[in-house]
Amino acid sequence: MKTFNYVVTNVLGIHARPAAMLAQACTNFKSAVVIEGNGEEAKGNDVLSILSLHAAKGTTLKLTITGEDEEEAMSKIQEVLKEVEPKDKPASILKVAFYGTKDYDRIFFSELSKDKGEGTYNVDITYFNSRLTSETAHLSVGFDAVCIFVNDEAPRPVVEELHKNGVKLILLRCAGFNNVDLDAAKECGITVLRVPAYSPYAVAEHAMTLIQAANRRINKAVNKVRDNNFSLNGLLGLDLHNKVAGIMGTGRIGQIMARICKGYGMTVLGWDAYPNKKLEEEGLLTYVTKEELLKRSDLISLHAPLIMGEGGTYHMINDEAINMMKDGVMLVNTSRGPLIDTDALIKGLRANKFHAVGLDVYEGEDGNVYTDHSDDMMQNSIVARLTTFPNLILTSHQAFFTREALQAIAAVTMENARNFNEGLEYGASEVK
Ligand SMILES: NC(=O)c1ccc[n+]([C@@H]2O[C@H](COP(=O)([O-])OP(=O)(O)OC[C@H]3O[C@@H](n4cnc5c(N)ncnc54)[C@H](O)[C@@H]3O)[C@@H](O)[C@H]2O)c1
């Protein structure tokens, strides 16, 4: 166990930015961090809990760090506490139009944008419920930036309208950026920043959850038991142990999925336009051609970004790819819907090609995701068709949705806004 005292020297106390940075630092360690101050206790990995300490300038905080990596955690935390001292460079407040707001966005973003002034994020957010489309782009008049998510639409006409309205920055509160016309943004002088990595674990863990739920027919099993039906008919699954996993796209998320599959005792194959030799050297996976991966894998998990055009990934799972797969294959997509040609998938499902399919994303999902349509007539026939298959499980773009990921998304987005406002470096956040 490690403990140390820290006297808050920041004039604003432990305000949103230091709290977010502390929580981010603590999340990356196995050790538990407890912060005591003003007679209260906070969890180090929880930004809201840290803020609830109301630690003003002069407060003495006692930090206790317990766990196998406590030494490293303590030095990182001390580094962060040094870094959050206010700098005396004045900057004006950045006005942000936040599109497609959900209650869970407000939980973190409202707290982080509360403080104004030097050393803070210095961001003023106006929340709009509507997502960004050509119909709602006019709401951006008078804002410096728009903050958008995966289901917002920023093709050329929308980007040009944002530019006309005075917007200079698009803040993507997600990793993917296929919904923004980057050429148009460049021509309009609009900077595009994203959250390159928030929690690859959230997405990879959901990928395994989905495919295991489909493999072991969990939906059906739960409904049967609720119905007083304890027969096992129709629930037969497959062991993953000693099977072959094929990871298509071995970046941040794909690598974690490879490790999860390895943990199940699977042999892991990888395919990527830019193979990462280190993964092979450490014995995690073996790179093969796309064809070999499709032919040899029992479980195929998609983690490549959506790229249109020659050499891209649009419809990389089509009739031809499905024909190459083993009979009884399992397929999971937590990346982007258009990686799979839905008609080809449905044809394959009807022909009994797949033992199990897990989809967190699907073609044409934009009008559906994050919206309650339970009282509306169903408009999207893709959902209607896919949900009829007993071996397919569909979730609605929720792989990212963990507390750790939301906290990180808010912290990195606010840091991006601040870097833009203060003319600082963007690092990996910039999309060019
Ligand atoms: N469902 C969700 O909630 C959710 C959340 C976050 C990310 N995602 C999706 O997951 C995808 C992967 O995220 P990541 O953080 O691992 O990205 P990443 O950039 O770290 O990895 C992507 C990998 O794909 C490879 N790649 C690029 N172009 C390729 C091509 N044409 N053919 C084959 N491989 C190619 C890259 O070399 C890289 O290794 C994102 O693009 C995003 O679409 C989904």
Side-chain angles (χ1 to χ4, degrees):
M1 185 173 78
K2 300 269 168 207
T3 54
F4 71 95
N5 284 347
Y6 172 78
V7 180
V8 180
T9 50
N10 194 310
V11 279
L12 294 170
I14 297 291
H15 61 87
R17 184 161 180 262
M21 291 174 74
L22 255 181
Q24 283 299 95
C26 294
T27 307
N28 290 326
F29 293 96
K30 288 199 169 83
S31 298
V33 181
V34 175
I35 308 174
E36 292 167 74
N38 293 330
E40 302 285 336
E41 243 184 39
K43 278 195 260 168
N45 62 2
D46 182 338
V47 63
L48 301 181
S49 167
I50 299 173
L51 286 170
S52 72
L53 292 175
H54 302 294
K57 185 180 177 194
T59 309
T60 300
L61 298 176
K62 183 179 171 202
L63 289 94
T64 307
I65 306 156
T66 320
E68 60 185 84
D69 51 5
E70 57 196 27
E71 192 86 48
E72 287 158 270
M74 184 166 85
S75 63
K76 181 67 196 172
I77 290 165
Q78 287 174 333
E79 202 182 290
V80 166
L81 288 169
K82 257 196 219 128
E83 204 182 311
V84 294
E85 295 307 319
K87 308 214 170 37
D88 45 28
K89 186 168 179 275
S92 53
I93 292 174
L94 189 84
K95 288 167 74 183
V96 178
F98 197 104
Y99 279 92
T101 312
K102 301 291 173 214
D103 289 347
Y104 47 80
D105 292 317
R106 285 180 198 262
I107 294 172
F108 291 100
F109 278 97
S110 299
E111 281 303 323
L112 299 193
S113 60
K114 244 186 204 164
D115 311 312
K116 304 287 180 293
E118 289 155 29
T120 72
Y121 287 121
N122 222 10
V123 164
D124 200 32
I125 300 180
T126 301
Y127 295 96
F128 295 114
N129 291 336
S130 329
R131 64 191 182 100
L132 176 65
T133 62
S134 52
E135 281 84 45
T136 60
H138 67 275
L139 295 171
S140 67
V141 173
F143 289 94
D144 305 305
V146 293
C147 183
I148 63 171
F149 197 50
V150 292
N151 57 332
D152 290 286
E153 294 170 12
R156 178 172 285 275
V158 171
V159 172
E160 287 174 351
E161 185 168 353
L162 295 178
H163 172 59
K164 197 181 79 199
N165 294 346
V167 169
K168 296 177 275 311
L169 169 67
I170 295 176
L171 287 165
L172 284 155
R173 51 182 192 279
C174 55
F177 47 86
N178 53 287
N179 50 345
V180 178
D181 187 322
L182 295 178
D183 291 335
K186 201 171 174 185
E187 284 162 35
C188 294
I190 294 180
T191 303
V192 182
L193 302 179
R194 66 175 180 137
V195 183
Y198 37 94
S199 173
Y201 304 98
V203 183
E205 287 172 17
H206 190 74
M208 187 49 100
T209 305
L210 257 188
I211 200 59
Q212 278 291 63
N215 168 28
R216 305 303 294 265
R217 313 291 195 246
I218 297 297
N219 261 4
K220 197 171 182 175
V222 170
N223 289 334
K224 278 174 78 147
V225 170
R226 274 213 189 111
D227 208 23
N228 232 9
N229 176 352
F230 305 98
S231 99
L232 298 182
N233 288 339
L235 304 184
L236 192 64
L238 299 172
D239 279 8
L240 295 188
H241 185 250
N242 278 346
K243 298 280 183 352
V244 177
I247 309 293
M248 304 189 80
T250 56
R252 278 170 288 245
I253 299 170
Q255 276 176 52
I256 306 296
M257 184 61 174
R259 288 183 207 287
I260 293 173
C261 292
K262 195 91 180 162
Y264 272 80
M266 304 183 84
T267 299
V268 186
L269 304 179
W271 171 77
D272 198 295
Y274 309 96
N276 177 353
K277 286 286 159 201
K278 277 197 199 133
L279 303 180
E280 246 178 3
E281 282 159 19
E282 69 167 272
L284 177 63
L285 52 77
T286 309
Y287 281 107
V288 293
T289 61
K290 182 178 171 185
E291 289 69 27
E292 189 176 345
L293 183 144
L294 293 169
K295 283 179 184 162
R296 285 181 54 198
S297 300
D298 300 292
L299 160 58
I300 297 173
S301 193
L302 309 183
H303 301 288
L306 174 61
I307 297 179
M308 309 301 285
E310 190 78 24
T313 56
Y314 175 76
H315 281 188
M316 70 184 202
I317 302 299
N318 53 15
D319 281 323
E320 196 189 344
I322 292 172
N323 285 338
M324 282 185 208
M325 293 178 193
K326 284 181 175 178
D327 289 339
V329 66
M330 292 181 252
L331 174 68
V332 57
N333 186 9
T334 52
S335 190
R336 285 291 180 266
L339 297 190
I340 300 181
D341 174 349
T342 313
D343 289 333
L345 177 69
I346 289 173
K347 214 195 289 173
L349 281 157
R350 287 197 178 126
N352 249 330
K353 184 79 185 176
F354 298 97
H355 166 67
V357 176
L359 302 178
D360 186 49
V361 290
Y362 54 90
E363 288 188 289
E365 68 179 25
D366 285 356
N368 281 354
V369 278
Y370 315 130
T371 314
D372 181 357
H373 285 303
S374 49
D375 288 329
D376 303 341
M377 291 302 137
M378 193 179 259
Q379 299 296 332
N380 187 322
S381 70
I382 291 180
V383 174
R385 286 189 293 159
L386 289 175
T387 49
T388 58
F389 294 99
N391 55 344
L392 183 144
I393 287 191
L394 193 65
T395 53
S396 186
H397 214 130
Q398 70 170 77
F400 74 99
F401 199 54
T402 63
R403 193 181 67 78
E404 288 78 0
L406 281 191
Q407 179 171 286
I409 285 171
V412 176
T413 304
M414 295 296 282
E415 206 65 35
N416 285 344
R418 177 176 177 273
N419 289 342
F420 176 85
N421 205 23
E422 302 203 359
L424 304 172
E425 295 287 311
Y426 304 131
S429 292
E430 189 168 17
V431 186
K432 290 183 193 160

